[in-house]
């Protein structure tokens, strides 16, 4: 199979930078939750950060496999504070929607470049975004229901601590 085009390679490299930002954003949120002594929420965010790191490596592997060159770009620093746990999760939800839009753009580039292999490969990311948005939306709804009440927050924190460690996706996935 022919190597990926430069345009496709650049677009995928841009996604690597975005996924690195996501990793750092969720680590920053984990630190924010640690500062509130919400260890369960912090754990959830650390797991999320690991998932984002898997996305970075998955893209890295794909570009390399297709004879492209990975370029690591500058990553903007994430925020440090949020007004409340709810606000942190609302921004997580917005962020994941932006990532979903970026993945859709990548699919468009693949189509414009007539790169069926990359288009097919990106299906995994399209599906992953559906899952990510749904799981964050669920937490946003639970936080709204809990309305910042201490008992509700403690119960939620316990639930968040049960998020299992992620398993890395295989390159073929
Ligand atoms: Fe890698 Fe949360 O998107």
């Amino acid at each position: 199979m022919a190597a990926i085009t430069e345009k496709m390679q650049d677009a995928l490299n841009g996604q690597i930078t975005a996924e690195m930002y996501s990793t750092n954003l969720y680590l920053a949120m984990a630190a924010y939750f640690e500062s509130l002594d919400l260890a369960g929420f912090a754990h959830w965010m650390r797991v999320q950060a690991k998932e984002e790191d898997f996305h970075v490596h998955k893209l890295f592997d794909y570009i390399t496999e297709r004879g492209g060159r990975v370029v690591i770009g500058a990553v903007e620093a994430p925020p440090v504070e949020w007004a409340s746990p709810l606000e942190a999760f609302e921004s997580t939800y917005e962020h994941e929607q932006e990532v979903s839009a970026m993945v859709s753009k990548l699919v468009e580039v693949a189509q414009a470049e007539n790169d069926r292999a990359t288009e097919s490969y990106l299906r995994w990311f399209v599906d992953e975004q559906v899952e990510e948005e749904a799981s964050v939306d669920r937490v946003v709804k639970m936080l709204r229901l809990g309305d910042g009440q201490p008992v509700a927050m403690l119960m939620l924190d316990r639930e968040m601590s049960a998020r299992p460690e992620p398993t890395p996706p295989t390159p073929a996935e």
Side-chain angles (χ1 to χ4, degrees), residues 29-43 46 81 85 150 153-158 160-161:
M29 286 188 180
Y32 163 72
F33 283 117
E34 291 287 5
S35 78
L36 299 179
D37 288 325
L38 290 169
F41 280 92
H43 164 79
R46 282 186 204 220
E81 294 289 344
M153 289 305 290
L154 287 176
M155 280 175 65
L156 267 179
D157 192 57
R158 191 181 308 163
M160 299 294 270
S161 72

Side-chain angles (χ1 to χ4, degrees), residues 12-172:
L12 291 169
N13 274 322
Q15 190 67 23
I16 286 186
T17 307
E19 301 285 350
M20 284 178 154
Y21 177 78
S22 298
T23 306
N24 292 349
L25 174 66
Y26 297 138
L27 278 176
M29 286 188 180
Y32 163 72
F33 283 117
E34 291 287 5
S35 78
L36 299 179
D37 288 325
L38 290 169
F41 280 92
H43 164 79
W44 194 98
M45 280 296 174
R46 282 186 204 220
V47 170
Q48 187 70 18
K50 281 181 199 167
E51 286 210 351
E52 300 302 349
D53 189 49
F54 289 155
H55 299 168
V56 169
H57 286 270
K58 196 171 164 61
L59 289 158
F60 188 113
D61 289 344
Y62 182 72
I63 294 171
T64 307
E65 193 178 31
R66 289 291 310 280
R69 174 74 159 89
V70 172
V71 176
I72 304 298
V75 183
E76 192 191 326
V80 176
E81 294 289 344
W82 288 267
S84 63
L86 174 60
E87 204 222 2
F89 269 87
E90 282 172 342
S91 13
T92 299
Y93 185 65
E94 276 168 31
H95 179 68
E96 286 304 329
Q97 284 184 314
E98 283 165 21
V99 173
S100 299
M102 289 181 76
V103 170
S104 293
K105 283 251 156 59
L106 285 178
V107 173
E108 283 170 25
V109 174
Q111 286 166 343
E113 296 294 284
N114 215 10
D115 184 344
R116 298 294 162 227
T118 301
E119 190 184 346
S120 157
Y121 169 82
L122 288 169
R123 176 58 50 193
W124 185 91
F125 282 90
V126 172
D127 295 345
E128 177 76 358
Q129 282 311 117
V130 173
E131 242 177 68
E132 293 219 340
E133 280 190 33
S135 76
V136 175
D137 185 45
R138 187 173 161 269
V139 180
V140 167
K141 284 179 177 147
M142 289 194 303
L143 281 167
R144 283 191 187 137
L145 270 178
D147 200 22
Q149 296 302 307
V151 174
M153 289 305 290
L154 287 176
M155 280 175 65
L156 267 179
D157 192 57
R158 191 181 308 163
E159 185 174 332
M160 299 294 270
S161 72
R163 182 173 184 181
E165 289 293 325
T167 44
T170 63

